[in-house]
Amino acid sequence: MAEVIDSCDADIVALQEVDVGRMRTGAADQAQDIARHLGMMPHFHAALTIQEEQYGDAILTRRPSRLMGAGPLPGLSARPKLEPRGALWISVETGGTALQVINTHFGLNRNERLRQAETVLGAEWLGHPECRNPVVLVGDFNAVPRSRAYRRLAQHLSEAARLAGNSDPGATYPSRMPLLRIDHAFLRGAVTVRSVTSIRTPLTRVASDHLPLLLELELTPLPQEDIQPTKTVRCR
């Protein structure tokens, strides 16, 4: 995973299904380990905690950043055994601009995903007064573009691929034979999208069951600031 991220030369990295202290991955702290390898600062939120084992989402960055929010997303009361889901929000200083980055991982049930989309759009996340533009919402939404959850988000946000003039940057799942585009990046505010690409290499096909989605973004700087592109990669 670290090799894949390093090859993308990313400034900001959003990860899902990250293990911390889990026996299945040798009790490793994957967020810390990958960040240390890349020389980045990790932010982690555990969507699931079982005794000492944690599992959730992470954002890594080499730019100055601060944690703004982290918490659970709703499931379905009639389906209490659904896997817990969450979101993580940080503010990243880049090119004289504070970029708000929210990383999430939606559920597998379509009604669950719709509730989660409504929550992310609500007062605790995108509707929070501190969540000022520009904003990037990235993650594994488990939702294709025709789904209700995707269309609900697209009512309020712009999908990066469409802003780049690339309505199909490529399927991301499963990585060995990609058929579905379920990993997305949504934007709000003064952000120019240079490119959006799913990265297909022999290494990305074995590093994860999803292909990474690479965005190259240009932020409008404050007056008298130089424009600095920021690359964001979503991997899991």
Side-chain angles (χ1 to χ4, degrees):
M1 286 300 303
E3 278 190 63
V4 168
I5 296 166
D6 197 33
S7 70
C8 294
D9 189 28
D11 297 309
I12 305 166
V13 182
L15 301 165
Q16 298 82 42
E17 299 189 16
V18 177
D19 282 355
V20 173
R22 302 198 74 181
M23 292 301 102
R24 69 178 186 178
T25 43
D29 185 331
Q30 292 183 327
Q32 287 281 356
D33 290 347
I34 294 172
R36 187 180 304 114
H37 183 88
L38 297 166
M40 291 183 163
M41 169 68 72
H43 299 270
F44 173 75
H45 170 253
L48 172 65
T49 300
I50 303 175
Q51 296 180 348
E52 300 300 317
E53 298 190 7
Q54 295 183 315
Y55 169 82
D57 308 308
I59 304 176
L60 319 179
T61 181
R62 57 173 51 93
R63 295 178 180 267
S65 62
R66 63 189 178 105
L67 179 66
M68 302 296 290
L73 296 180
L76 296 174
S77 57
R79 302 281 301 277
K81 293 185 179 181
L82 290 174
E83 180 181 313
R85 306 289 176 165
L88 176 64
W89 166 22
I90 71 169
S91 179
V92 182
E93 293 296 327
T94 176
T97 300
L99 176 67
Q100 309 305 312
V101 181
I102 299 175
N103 176 30
T104 189
H105 186 188
F106 283 7
L108 298 176
N109 180 284
R110 62 181 182 178
N111 293 323
E112 176 192 19
R113 289 194 297 270
L114 188 59
R115 284 197 68 194
Q116 290 161 356
E118 296 286 0
T119 300
V120 168
L121 290 168
E124 293 184 12
W125 301 98
L126 290 164
H128 193 284
E130 293 297 318
C131 195
R132 294 185 287 268
N133 295 343
V135 179
V136 180
L137 169 66
V138 293
D140 173 2
F141 294 90
N142 277 310
V144 296
R146 65 178 178 274
S147 66
R148 290 188 298 163
Y150 175 98
R151 287 186 282 116
R152 186 73 182 98
L153 292 171
Q155 288 177 344
H156 296 268
L157 307 163
S158 299
E159 201 209 350
R162 298 188 184 277
L163 291 178
N166 179 10
S167 61
D168 185 7
T172 55
Y173 180 83
S175 58
R176 290 183 180 272
M177 189 177 293
L179 298 173
L180 301 175
R181 190 162 76 89
I182 59 176
D183 303 287
H184 309 289
F186 295 93
L187 306 176
R188 191 180 71 192
V191 183
T192 300
V193 184
R194 290 185 171 185
S195 64
V196 181
T197 313
S198 59
I199 307 299
R200 299 190 186 194
T201 68
L203 185 59
T204 62
R205 288 188 172 95
V206 298
S208 169
D209 61 337
H210 287 231
L211 294 176
L213 190 67
L214 178 65
L215 292 79
E216 188 168 8
L217 309 177
E218 186 176 281
L219 306 183
T220 301
L222 295 173
Q224 299 181 345
E225 294 274 354
D226 292 330
I227 293 176
Q228 299 183 19
T230 296
K231 291 181 179 178
T232 305
V233 61
R234 190 225 70 85
C235 299
R236 55 175 274 175

